[in-house]
Structures are given as structure tokens and as C-alpha cells.
DNA sequence: CTGTTAGCGCGTTCAA
DNA sequence: TTGAACGCGCTAACAG
């Protein structure tokens, strides 16, 4: 039984010959302490391996040095990547990161937020798609910093961090144009979703900037799935003349496009170039490895963390900020 | 400013006309309370939307209703899957799950565990490969439950949960045998690692059980990578007669094997069958979709959670348990 | 079956 | 520049 009771602030004070108050202030720096006693206290803190009890501190301060990441599905590889970014920044500062996966319905989210806010998390990164205003309000009302990954900017409801879907897609299309292709098909996902809309906009913008005229018949839509990609690609490849490249709205669609190209006995990239979007793990494992646009999930996580830290130190007085991070084109062998 | 102060236990007591103690015991059930007062208290709890403050409770009890998952790389898709399993079981019980990613060096792990134990986590699921005995001891000494994913069972150091690598590989080999193949190559990863050893054992066992004699020349080793798979597969396919199937020690190796088969102008599965192990996301996206063995990560997570809950309620008196979960063969189109 | 009381370990007034 | 003393909100002896 190694039951050696952990040292408390009182032990430190006694051993250093000062009051509890002084120890507290040495550690928090919230009031001047003479260099001499400060040194002595710090030495004793070392000797006793003293660390303040987070529960006791939380009880007094209402803070917890913890940040929560609320997602709709931990299993989506985007989120762990974000979590890694949060850790990069927050772990060294002594913050704890809790990941909270919530089914996409608002009662679950209500419950999860209650739990988290009861525990006095200092910040919440909200990646749940079904979040409502009342959820935002619950978080900020509880005094926690909020960062969202989508939605409208509102000074009451924290900051927003997101990636530049339009710009990323424009880069992909530009790349394909620079490879000499002009007749470029676009296999979109659901055009009523934000990614569908923004990525299509990127496609159009790149064509315009390159002086290539937009041809409506080269754009097809479907679900963001492999099957959607197969169908969309077949439709475009049946055109006469067939497109020289298929730009896909996500990697799953691109996988399907690859299937379709193969089914027609054509070769990638010789006969037709294919690009994806997202850079899922599989992208580099396909044959040929897929040229795609990498969603900077980790960098998004880091940015969220920094915004939270800023709010924590500057107080809640400032307005809302929106940070848009560039997507990065990854050129592999499918173009 | 919706600053309405949260209701405390005292408010509940006052409104219900009982003592604070009684409220506490109604909620904890740790001593009998008359049905009448119990009902009244519960009603007031509802009305005031009272929830005990976790910090205050933690300060008193030394517990936190939180469990930590310590991993070496959040980004490895196995861990989020495990985390989801933990959530499945722990979230409904009101537990918070913290994921903690630690670089594979022991000082980082020391620091992370200190933080977690300071916060009085009730349990730790330790998936870090470099954990030492002193880390196990730190956890159990702090009174937290420990579950590990590998290593030797030791009554002092909590329970172990893992998947049956040997059985899973035996299933894969048996499946290939049942398809009529007899000359089966095995592309292993590093045979000095636990997976390398256990999976090779599964290969040998399946052959033996099927009455096929083991042929050493059909086994090659290399790294657990795509490149390793390319090289190993080429070596085996150069044999005369060539193997009818390539069983690979993980999916990355299988991707490489697929490359090699293609490079030789052969077709999968017509000329040669290929299997993987792990069932990474990419497995189903390859062409052909890969037959592989699914690591029951989520079920592992659930099991860890259950073991922790059991220890929490039964006290630390019991001995250590080891739970081995079956791997599941996923038959796709590469066989 | 119920209430009174004493801390848990810290941060923070207030006083010196 | 320093201390003494109070209380954050709760649980667990210890009475009754």
C-alpha cells in the first residue's frame, strides 16, 4: 500500500515557512511576492511534487482547464485529426481534451452540453451539424468559449473556423486545366449541402479564371457515395466527346469514378484524369493513388484551440471572428 | 445576461423542507429515505433542474465519473473506434470520456497520467505501447481502474482486453482453403512483433487443422507496409509453381500485394486470391474490395468500459481478468 | 428515518 | 509584501 498522502498547499506553506496565501500567489502570480520567498516556495513545490487539486480549484474558480470537442461521429476520421490539432496546442498548456460523440438529435446534444458545462469546461468546439441557437447560447451563457465549424457568424455565439472548400476545388480544377485538359466533367454530391454548393462554385470559378466556358452538361449530381460516383462518371463518359477529366466532389465519388473508368476499359490518368476531395486514408492506397484536396483538419483543430485560449485570456469582450483555412491540393498519380 | 444562479443542494433542501443531508441521500440512495420525502425531494429536483456540482462532489469523494483513453496516436482509426465503444457504455452512465494522445516516450506518458490522475479519473484504458510497470502502478496506486490492451496479465495491474489475432488469421486461411486453394503464401509483417507472431501462428494452425502441410518457403516477412507487401508478394509470385493465394498480415501489406499482382498482369481473385487483416477504411474501397479480418475495435471499447464499471462497483478486491474477443472475417471480392 | 456539523483543498477578500 | 479566515457545494461521520 503506497498510500503516501499527496502534498497539499498547506504542506508546502508549512515547509516553506509562509502562509497558504503566499503559496497560492506565488503559483498564480496574481500579486507580488518577494523574490526570496518566491524562490523558497518554488523549491518546496518541487521537493514535495506539489500540484494543486483540480477539483478544489474548480470549485473555487469555476474553471477546469478542460476543453470539449463535440462531434456527431468519432468514427469519422476528420474528427480525430481535429482532436490531434487541439491536443497539439492545448496539451502543453495543461488542458484536458474530452471528446464527446453525440447522435445527431438535439436532445442528446442538450444532455451532453449539460454534462460538459456542469463540469465547467472552459471551451467547446462544436462540430455537431444539428446544433441550434439554444445550444450556442447554453455554452456562452455558461461562460465557456465557443468555436463552431459552420454556420453564420454571430457576435453572441463565438468564433468560426472552417476550410476553404471553394478555393480547394478551384485549385484542383486549375491543376487539371494546367495539365492541358479543357473538357472537364464535374461529379458533384448533393448540391443542396454546403460542400456541394461551395465545391461546385470552386469548379465554376476555376474555369472562369482560366477562360474556359462553363458547360452545364458536364456537371452531374448525386449522393456523396461510391455508387453516386459510378453512376455520375458513367453518365459523363458516355458523352460525345467524352470529358478528358473527372473532377469529383469527394473521394468516395472519385473511387466510384475510378470503378466506372475501369469498367469502360479506359485507363487513369492516360485516357481520363480523376480527382477527389477530402484526402481520406484510402486516397493514397488506391491505384492509381488519387490526386485530391486535403482538408486541413489538424490545422483546423489547432486554430480552434488558439481561438479558445485567446478568449480565455482576453475575456469575452471581443466580437466574433471567422477563420478560413486554405485547403491543400495533393497531387498523386490519378492526374 | 441570463445569470440566474444555478440551484444548489441547499436550495433543494429548503424548498422541499428537508435537510441537505436528506437530499444528498435521496440522490445517492446510500441510506433509506421515506417514500414520501423521497418523492417530494425528487419533484423539487426536477422543478429546480438541480444537478450536483461535479467539482464539489469530486473534492469530497475523490472520484470524477470520468474515464480516460490514453493512446499513442488519435489519428490511428482503431482508437476512435474504441472510443466509440467506450462512449456506447459510459456515456449513458453519465461518465465523461477524455482522449489523451501521447507521443511514444515514457516522460510524456508520465505527465499525461499525472494530469489525469490529479483529476481523479475513475478509470484508464491504456493503449500506449511504451507503457511500463511504473505507469501501471501509478494508475492503480491512485485508486483508478486500469484496463490494458496488451501485455502480461498481472493481478496488480488491472484487466486486459484484446482481440484474437491467431483465431482471426486462422479464419482467413481456412476461408481461402475452403475456396479450393492449397498452395497459400503468407506475407507477414515484422515477425518480432506480437501481431506478426500471433498471425503467423494462425496461418500455421489453419493449415494443420485442414491437413495441409506447412511449407516454409511460402512464408516471407517484411515491414507492415504497402512497400513490404509489394516486395513480399513479388517474391512469392516468382515461385514455381506460384501460390494460388496470398494471405497478408495486414491490410497495408495486402494493398501492396494487389499492386504486385497487377504489375505481373495477373487478376484478383481469378489468378490469385488476396486477403488482408484489420479492415481499414480503404479495404472496402479497393478494387477488388478486399477480403479481410475485422478488428472488433468498438467491441473492445465496450468491453473495456464494462470491466471498468464492474471494478468501480465491486471495489478493487478482485483478481485480474483477460478478455479475448473474436476477430471477424469479412468476405469481399478479393477471394 | 432524519438532521447537525465538520471538513475536502483551494482562492480570495480583508486587515496588517 | 504578507497572513488569517471564510466559503465554494457537497458527502459522511456522528447524533437523535
Amino acid at each position: 500500500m503506497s498510500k503516501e498522502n499527496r502534498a497539499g498547499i498547506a504542506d508546502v506553506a508549512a515547509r516553506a515557512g509562509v502562509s497558504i496565501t503566499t503559496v497560492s500567489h506565488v503559483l498564480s502570480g496574481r500579486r507580488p511576492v518577494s523574490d526570496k520567498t518566491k524562490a523558497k516556495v518554488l523549491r518546496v513545490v518541487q521537493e514535495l511534487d506539489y500540484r494543486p487539486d483540480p477539483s478544489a480549484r474548480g470549485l473555487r474558480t469555476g474553471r477546469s482547464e478542460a476543453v470539449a470537442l463535440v462531434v456527431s461521429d468519432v468514427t469519422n476520421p476528420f474528427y480525430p485529426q481535429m482532436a490531434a490539432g487541439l491536443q497539439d496546442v492545448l496539451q502543453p498548456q495543461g488542458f484536458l481534451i474530452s471528446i464527446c460523440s453525440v447522435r445527431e438529435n438535439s436532445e442528446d446534444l442538450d444532455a451532453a452540453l449539460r454534462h460538459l458545462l456542469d463540469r465547467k469546461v472552459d471551451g467547446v468546439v462544436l462540430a455537431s451539424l444539428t446544433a441550434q441557437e439554444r445550444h450556442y447560447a447554453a455554452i456562452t451563457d455558461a461562460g465557456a468559449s465557443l468555436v463552431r465549424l459552420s454556420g453564420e457568424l454571430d457576435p453572441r455565439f463565438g468564433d468560426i473556423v472552417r476550410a476553404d472548400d471553394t478555393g480547394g476545388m478551384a485549385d484542383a480544377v486549375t491543376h487539371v486545366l494546367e495539365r492541358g485538359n479543357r473538357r472537364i466533367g464535374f461529379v458533384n454530391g448533393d448540391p443542396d449541402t454546403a460542400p456541394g454548393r461551395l465545391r461546385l462554385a470552386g469548379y465554376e470559378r476555376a474555369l472562369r479564371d482560366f477562360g474556359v466556358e462553363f458547360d452545364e452538361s458536364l456537371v452531374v449530381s448525386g449522393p456523396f457515395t461510391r455508387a453516386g460516383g459510378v453512376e455520375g462518371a458513367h453518365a459523363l463518359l458516355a458523352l460525345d466527346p467524352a470529358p478528358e477529366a473527372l473532377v469529383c466532389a469527394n473521394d468516395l465519388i472519385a473511387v466510384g469514378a475510378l470503378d466506372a473508368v475501369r469498367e469502360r476499359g479506359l485507363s487513369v490518368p492516360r485516357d481520363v484524369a480523376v480527382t477527389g476531395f477530402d484526402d481520406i486514408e484510402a486516397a493514397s492506397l488506391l491505384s492509381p493513388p488519387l490526386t485530391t484536396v486535403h482538408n486541413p483538419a489538424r490545422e483546423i483543430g489547432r486554430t480552434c484551440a488558439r481561438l479558445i485560449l485567446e478568449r480565455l485570456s482576453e475575456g469575452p469582450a471581443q466580437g466574433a471572428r471567422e477563420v478560413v483555412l486554405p485547403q491543400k491540393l495533393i497531387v498523386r498519380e490519378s492526374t
Side-chain angles (χ1 to χ4, degrees), chain A residues 33-46:
Chain A
V33 177
S34 82
D35 287 353
K36 204 169 118 200
T37 51
K38 184 185 295 184
K40 169 174 283 182
V41 168
L42 287 175
R43 188 155 37 74
V44 174
V45 164
Q46 286 284 342

Side-chain angles (χ1 to χ4, degrees), chain A residues 19 66 68 74 86-88 91 95 113 126 137 162 175 179 190 214 218 236 250 253 263 270 279 297 310 333:
Chain A
S19 74
V74 229
L86 289 174
Q87 302 242 18
D88 290 342
Q91 197 118 275
F95 278 75
L113 289 178
L126 194 53
R162 58 183 185 80
H175 162 76
R179 283 282 206 260
D190 183 343
F214 176 75
L218 283 176
L236 291 174
N250 80 352
I253 291 177
E263 282 169 18
R270 213 188 45 226
D279 195 25
E310 282 180 28
E333 298 167 31

Side-chain angles (χ1 to χ4, degrees), chain A residues 66-70 86 96-100 116 121 123-126 308:
Chain A
V67 168
L69 172 62
V70 179
L86 289 174
L96 187 72
I97 288 111
S98 294
I99 301 193
C100 210
L116 293 169
V121 292
V124 175
V125 178
L126 194 53
I308 285 181

Side-chain angles (χ1 to χ4, degrees), chain A residues 102-121:
Chain A
V102 178
R103 286 192 300 277
E104 280 295 353
N105 75 55
S106 5
E107 298 95 53
D108 267 33
L109 184 53
D110 282 320
L113 289 178
R114 259 201 309 275
H115 262 113
L116 293 169
L117 296 172
D118 281 357
R119 286 166 191 268
K120 313 186 205 316
V121 292

